[in-house]
Amino acid sequence: MKSPITRAALAISALVAIAILANWLVALTPYGNRGADFTQHKIHTLTDGTKAIVSDLKFDVVIRYYATRTSDYMPEELKVHMRRVDDLLKEYANLSNGKLRIENLDPQPDTDAEDSANLDEISGQRINNDNLYLGLTISALDKKVVIPFLNPNQETILEYLISKAIAEVTTLEKPVIGIISALELAGTQAMMPGQQNQPPWLIYEQLRQSFKIEDLGMEPQSIDPDKIKTLLLFHPAGISKQTEYVIDQYLLNGGTVVACLDPHSLAAQITSGGNPMTGQPGRDTSSTLPTLLPAWGIEFNSTRVLADPNHATPVEGGRKVVVFLTLPKKAMPQEDNIITQTLESVMLYLPGGFKRTGGGMTSSSLIRSSTLAGFVEPLLAARNLFASSDDPSVEISLESENTAFDFVTHLSGNFQTAFPDGKPKPPVDPANPENPEQPAEPANQESLKTANKTGNVFLIADVDAFYDPSNGNTSLLFNILDQAIGSTHLIGSRSRSATRRPFTVIQEMENEFDKERSDKVKEIKAKEKITLERLNEIQALRTDSNSPYLSPEQEEEYKNLNKEKIQYARQIREQEKDLQRKKDRLTGDIILYNVAGMPAFIILFSIGLYLVRRSSTRAR
């Protein structure tokens, strides 16, 4: 019979083998990649929008994941990012109920995987004469979206990019955008021989390349949210209450509205025969939604332009135009919002401003003015924009309300109707005032009073921002449309927190040291300046100005200066050593807590559990 020691060793070996095999078997199942996320911002958990997109998949999706894993030259930063992508894609596959398949490919030189990467237009990064790959293709049906390189600097929007691509490839047809506009965005034909055609707006051409456009005119009778994924109101000047009612019902049925409004559109003035440089007026230069905006809890001054001295744009001649605005990153308060995260700046021309007054909707300010902004008259603003020299009239008339206004804002939630009494009757025809009877509303089109689905509204307080695509503003509009059209689950998406977390305590220590060191250097420089001035004074008093030697006084001054420099240099070195000692001590404490803390906790917990069980056993 075997000894007790041998039996114990065999039992322990069997337990270890069972534990290893059990872990391996569980890892092969979807449950093996799941865990609890205790991080501050849930950086290892997919967002609700992504979960909804993946769980609702109707078609099989294939993600080909190209990653070079056997190179000796892969930078450590890319290796860490690759592991993050690995974990993220596993989460996608786990949530898809078998609808999403990951194909892992390692594109080594002269292999089928490398040929496949080149065919899929995956960008190889050239490092030490090696092509290193880290990219994705997402495909379904006959559609494919390529993410050629997964840049570690874009880690925070990686999930959004993948989810957006999945939503795009699983959409059968080009999404439809409905447009209501008083402008001839699609261009016009010449009315008479010899006249030139008016070409389409470039922004309209760009929209038509990506989406299916349906021009609804200014008087649509109804808008189907199942067909029209997004409704673009592009300067709806002179909009009727009947059209606002149709928009209202579309929104209450879960539609998404993107409204570009303007208190004074230069594009409308120019295209209608006006001349902003001479002040010649045009038609329909102002647009608003007079019934809908108050119901949504938004105030918009459609007769005055918002000027902002804090974001004035410098123009030729060195002057700054306070009605021609350049909005930088600091004017975009939602740092993690996908719409504005990739924008460097936005330029607005004679814009308006939105002010929140209530309404109960969730609102997000995407781009906003400074608190120095104030309203001015449109014609005065236009003259200031085209003036050839400084014109202080706008600054003089500007009265700041000490309030920041929104240039771009997002509203979401279950909207309430702006027409509690139902569909408004059309105005009486002046040509037939004796017959005010109006056609009855169809019985199957009962007015909604409250939204039956969540609706979304994006408001932009300028139209001219998209008249000239060279200013880069088209990215703003397309970012909004991509969110609105790609999937309702993407609307309001935000970037994720980075997995790489800075050591803020150490950074604060280093910053404090740099500040102290800077103060010491300034002190040394100040003493040096005083000493040099004194040396100049002594030099001027010398009797023999041609002597190449310093006087005893000068020698003494230089000796004292050098002593001070050496003294302060020694003090700075001591501070550097003290800083390093503090950092080493902190690092040691962190390692101790991580290595010894958890085992100590488990041991103490086990002892406590043992004592509790022992006492309960004795009590029985």
Side-chain angles (χ1 to χ4, degrees), residues 273-471:
N275 189 330
M277 298 186 68
T278 63
Q280 181 181 354
R283 299 188 312 275
D284 300 329
T285 58
S286 174
S287 60
T288 186
L289 301 172
T291 308
L292 293 175
L293 289 182
W296 297 340
I298 295 294
E299 179 182 302
F300 179 70
N301 192 329
S302 62
T303 61
R304 305 190 79 193
V305 169
L306 189 66
D308 190 348
N310 202 41
H311 297 304
T313 301
V315 296
E316 189 176 353
R319 68 189 187 95
K320 292 185 176 182
V321 182
V322 296
V323 293
F324 173 25
L325 307 180
T326 299
L327 287 308
K329 275 289 186 186
K330 67 178 181 180
M332 306 174 192
Q334 304 290 332
E335 294 182 0
D336 58 348
N337 195 290
I338 299 296
I339 292 173
T340 56
Q341 190 179 50
T342 58
L343 301 177
E344 292 301 324
S345 65
V346 171
M347 302 178 73
L348 303 180
Y349 306 80
L350 278 65
F354 301 109
K355 185 178 180 180
R356 188 86 171 120
T357 60
M361 296 297 102
T362 300
S363 63
S364 298
S365 175
L366 301 180
I367 304 178
R368 70 188 324 176
S369 74
S370 71
T371 56
L372 299 178
F375 289 100
V376 297
E377 294 298 326
L379 294 180
L380 184 65
R383 284 200 299 268
N384 178 264
L385 177 63
F386 293 102
S388 58
S389 58
D390 284 336
D391 179 10
S393 55
V394 170
E395 286 88 339
I396 293 173
S397 64
L398 188 155
E399 294 183 3
S400 173
E401 299 182 20
N402 198 30
T403 299
F405 294 86
D406 286 348
F407 293 119
V408 183
T409 192
H410 173 209
L411 307 175
S412 64
N414 292 323
F415 287 79
Q416 301 294 318
T417 184
F419 298 88
D421 297 329
K423 185 176 181 178
K425 295 180 178 181
V428 176
D429 185 359
N432 189 16
E434 301 299 329
N435 185 18
E437 295 183 2
Q438 309 297 333
E441 185 176 341
N444 63 344
Q445 291 188 0
E446 183 177 350
S447 298
L448 291 176
K449 306 302 181 186
T450 303
N452 56 26
K453 295 180 182 178
T454 299
N456 288 274
V457 175
F458 293 90
L459 299 173
I460 303 173
D462 192 20
V463 170
D464 302 318
F466 310 108
Y467 184 64
D468 180 10
S470 65
N471 56 26

Side-chain angles (χ1 to χ4, degrees), residues 37 56 97 112 143 160 204 324 339 349 365 417 562-563:
D37 187 354
D56 290 347
N97 297 319
D112 291 342
K143 293 185 177 181
Y160 172 79
Y204 185 86
F324 173 25
I339 292 173
Y349 306 80
S365 175
T417 184
N562 286 329
K563 288 179 181 179

Side-chain angles (χ1 to χ4, degrees), residues 186-228:
T188 58
Q189 297 291 328
M191 301 297 293
M192 298 177 61
Q195 289 184 339
Q196 290 185 344
N197 296 336
Q198 182 178 327
W201 283 38
L202 290 178
I203 186 68
Y204 185 86
E205 292 287 277
Q206 292 175 335
L207 289 172
R208 194 155 54 183
Q209 292 173 8
S210 301
F211 312 109
K212 184 178 179 181
I213 303 297
E214 185 166 328
D215 290 306
L216 302 176
M218 287 296 293
E219 295 291 340
Q221 297 304 304
S222 64
I223 304 174
D224 183 0
D226 292 330
K227 177 183 178 183
I228 305 296

Side-chain angles (χ1 to χ4, degrees), residues 64 204 294 489 537:
R64 284 193 293 276
Y204 185 86
H489 302 302
E537 293 176 2

Side-chain angles (χ1 to χ4, degrees), residues 526-540:
K527 287 181 173 292
E528 183 181 44
K529 182 179 178 182
I530 294 173
T531 304
L532 290 175
E533 290 176 352
R534 177 58 183 160
L535 287 174
N536 290 333
E537 293 176 2
I538 296 173
Q539 186 75 13

